[in-house]
Amino acid sequence: MTSRDWQVERRAVVDRDEYACRSCGFEDAGDSRTALEIHPIDTAESGPGTHAHESAFVTVCTDCSTTLRGDHAGIPETPTALFERVRETTQRQGGAISEVASFASLATSLPSALEADEIPAKSVDETNVESADEGQTAAENAASDPLEEYCRTRRDAILALDLADAHLEALEAVDETAFDTDVRTSLQSVVESGHSLQSTLRTVVERAETVPAGLERCAACVGTVTDGSCSTCGLEARATSEWEDPDGTLAFERLFAAINSELQAASGTTKTLTEQTTTLAEALSGEEAS
């Protein structure tokens, strides 16, 4: 992909996201595109010189992009600043839980939607061209099309997880020697539980992505899969053997039960994380008072 092709792809992503950051909602009212960037949400290589479909990217503002790149400038060295960073991290993870749960709910509804003929048997790109109402926003069009809604909620869920990961990495970069033993121990517990929660939520996303794969659709853009790859974005078909019945069909009920189980596990970890954050707050309060 040439630099020019990359800019065309970038414009397609920003246009799709209506010139707004999908994390904080910042809008580029001037349509200058200078305050918005695109963030890759899939593991495949992406960037100038590579080929990637717009479904592999999401629009973010420069501030959120800086966070995602892991710029840990201004690492807190006071109890108050550290707790503020921890609070921001837990808020990010709370948002990630909500986004992942929404994506999982949407994904598990796809089989019944297809069976009820609520979704045209065509690629997402074709569906957009034929059914999108020019008077509607992209979000409104997505809400009226389960395939588009799947793609949108998937992008938002992965972006939320990427941002939560970045905040956890920032906590790990804190100079622990600036704090006493109680604070260091409590902070380590919070970070470990945070990573555990992230791992569980990413498992939910992976399992939710298996649903369209079981319907012979792409896990990323839900285009039709033929000959082992997506006809729309070119992504290789997701393996589904782990969730197949002896006759080769996907055991959706078993898959859905596994997704629900992981979400329940995430809820339990969240409770533990809340308790650990409270303990950390008490330790920081004690250090600040001393």
Side-chain angles (χ1 to χ4, degrees):
M1 180 183 289
T2 65
S3 295
R4 181 177 180 180
D5 290 335
W6 172 253
Q7 289 301 320
V8 170
E9 200 67 49
R10 177 186 179 281
R11 184 175 296 112
V13 174
V14 177
D15 284 346
R16 180 202 66 204
D17 293 337
E18 299 181 320
Y19 303 96
C21 175
R22 290 301 303 173
S23 175
C24 69
F26 170 83
E27 295 185 6
D28 186 3
D31 191 19
S32 65
R33 297 185 175 86
T34 57
L36 295 174
E37 302 178 22
I38 60 174
H39 170 67
I41 59 170
D42 286 320
T43 55
E45 291 186 6
S46 53
T50 64
H51 175 72
H53 187 256
E54 58 89 12
S55 61
F57 300 91
V58 65
T59 304
V60 294
C61 65
T62 52
D63 286 347
C64 289
S65 180
T66 297
T67 299
L68 287 162
R69 287 196 301 269
D71 183 352
H72 304 316
I75 294 174
E77 295 183 354
T78 66
T80 300
L82 175 56
F83 184 73
E84 180 62 23
R85 182 66 63 88
V86 171
R87 186 185 66 82
E88 291 174 357
T89 302
T90 55
Q91 286 181 336
R92 283 291 183 184
Q93 289 204 286
I97 292 171
S98 177
E99 296 290 358
V100 170
S102 294
F103 171 56
S105 176
L106 195 288
T108 55
S109 72
L110 286 181
S112 58
L114 278 170
E115 186 176 355
D117 292 328
E118 294 177 11
I119 304 174
K122 59 183 74 174
S123 72
V124 174
D125 287 353
E126 293 171 334
T127 302
N128 286 344
V129 171
E130 295 184 12
S131 66
D133 184 339
E134 293 182 358
Q136 290 182 310
T137 65
E140 289 170 336
N141 283 322
S144 65
D145 182 347
L147 290 182
E148 276 294 307
E149 184 73 352
Y150 169 94
C151 294
R152 183 188 65 77
T153 56
R154 175 181 179 271
R155 291 191 300 266
D156 288 348
I158 296 175
L159 174 60
L161 287 171
D162 287 351
L163 282 162
D165 277 340
H167 276 73
L168 283 170
E169 290 170 5
L171 285 182
E172 289 180 309
V174 170
D175 180 9
E176 295 185 351
T177 61
F179 303 96
D180 65 24
T181 302
D182 287 344
V183 171
R184 292 199 298 269
T185 301
S186 296
L187 178 60
Q188 183 178 6
S189 296
V190 167
V191 171
E192 288 177 353
S193 292
H195 281 305
S196 176
L197 178 58
Q198 289 292 103
S199 177
T200 300
L201 293 175
R202 288 197 182 275
T203 297
V204 172
V205 170
E206 290 173 2
R207 289 180 175 173
E209 290 174 334
T210 304
V211 176
L215 300 169
E216 298 185 345
R217 288 181 176 271
C218 176
C221 76
V222 286
T224 304
V225 171
T226 55
D227 298 325
S229 63
C230 177
S231 59
T232 300
C233 71
L235 192 69
E236 290 187 5
R238 173 68 61 86
T240 60
S241 57
E242 179 183 357
W243 303 101
E244 290 177 359
D245 281 332
D247 63 0
T249 60
L250 198 72
F252 285 111
E253 292 304 319
R254 181 160 59 89
L255 176 59
F256 295 167
I259 290 173
N260 287 331
S261 177
E262 292 294 342
L263 286 172
Q264 290 175 3
S267 178
T269 303
T270 300
K271 181 179 179 180
T272 298
L273 189 56
T274 299
E275 294 171 351
Q276 292 171 335
T277 301
T278 300
T279 300
L280 174 59
E282 293 171 350
L284 287 169
S285 177
E287 177 164 311
E288 195 165 36
S290 61

